[in-house]
């Protein structure tokens, strides 16, 4: 049974965080390599948002397969595991801030816009569950970008 929707916008994350497996690097790598994996790119901590298909339908998160990243994918790019969606697909967030203008060139040209999360929430045209997933993605990427070393061992 699903939990009742929380009135606090960014707390409605429906993902299975896979806490029992997320600490296993080989498991996470296998999830990322899976054809089912979907990744939302964030540029300067702003997620890719796809335009409405028809007026009034609302916008969608830019979930993409790894192959859609093409030359934007780098070996040292920060990618974080977010969890498994209700269909069991692994979801990830990737920092593409190394790109200069992803909306105008490269593999993301013409797909949509990289938008501020607060603005998305205020617009009200995206489900709260999707906004909560994006909030987690932004927070995890931001934390990892600000804390590149382990607090215990320094590696």
């Amino acid at each position: 049974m699903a939990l009742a929707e929380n009135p606090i916008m960014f707390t409605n994350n429906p993902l299975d965080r896979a806490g029992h497996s997320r600490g296993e690097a080989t498991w996470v790598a296998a999830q990322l390599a899976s054809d089912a994996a979907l990744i939302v790119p964030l540029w300067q901590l702003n997620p890719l948002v796809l335009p409405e298909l028809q007026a009034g339908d609302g916008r969608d998160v830019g979930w993409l397969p790894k192959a859609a990243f093409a030359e934007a994918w780098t070996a040292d790019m920060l990618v974080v595991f977010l969890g498994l969606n209700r269909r069991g697909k692994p979801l990830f967030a990737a920092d593409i801030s190394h790109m200069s203008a992803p909306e105008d060139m490269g593999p993301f040209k013409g797909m949509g816009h990289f938008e501020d999360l607060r603005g998305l929430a205020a617009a009200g045209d995206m489900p709260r569950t999707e906004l909560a997933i994006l909030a987690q993605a932004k927070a995890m990427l931001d934390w990892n970008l600000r804390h590149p070393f382990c607090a215990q061992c320094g590696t």
Side-chain angles (χ1 to χ4, degrees):
M1 182 169 96
L3 296 174
E5 188 173 281
N6 191 313
I8 300 170
M9 178 83 62
F10 295 129
T11 62
N12 294 294
N13 190 332
L15 297 182
D16 172 0
R17 299 280 315 261
H20 59 286
S21 299
R22 71 182 307 116
E24 299 173 27
T26 55
W27 183 85
V28 174
Q31 298 306 304
L32 183 58
S34 164
D35 289 340
L38 295 173
I39 307 159
V40 61
L42 281 86
W43 181 70
Q44 298 181 353
L45 298 177
N46 295 316
L48 176 64
V49 178
L50 305 178
E52 292 182 307
L53 293 176
Q54 294 181 7
D57 281 349
R59 294 172 293 168
D60 290 314
V61 177
W63 294 112
L64 304 171
K66 187 176 177 181
F69 282 70
E71 71 274 3
W73 194 270
T74 64
D76 62 341
M77 186 166 60
L78 177 59
V79 179
V80 295
F81 174 67
L82 301 174
L84 303 170
N85 70 11
R86 63 188 174 99
R87 293 188 174 94
K89 291 185 176 194
L91 302 182
F92 292 84
D95 177 39
I96 61 156
S97 297
H98 64 279
M99 299 181 71
S100 60
E103 290 180 2
D104 301 326
M105 61 180 64
F108 309 112
K109 180 181 179 181
M111 280 191 186
H113 300 283
F114 290 89
E115 299 195 25
D116 175 66
L117 193 54
R118 287 183 185 165
L120 282 173
D125 63 352
M126 188 175 281
R128 288 180 175 212
T129 53
E130 293 295 300
L131 291 168
I133 293 169
L134 291 177
Q136 176 194 349
K138 178 179 178 176
M140 290 182 70
L141 285 177
D142 187 42
W143 189 88
N144 279 279
L145 289 166
R146 291 174 188 253
H147 301 89
F149 302 102
C150 175
Q152 292 185 354
C153 68
T155 59

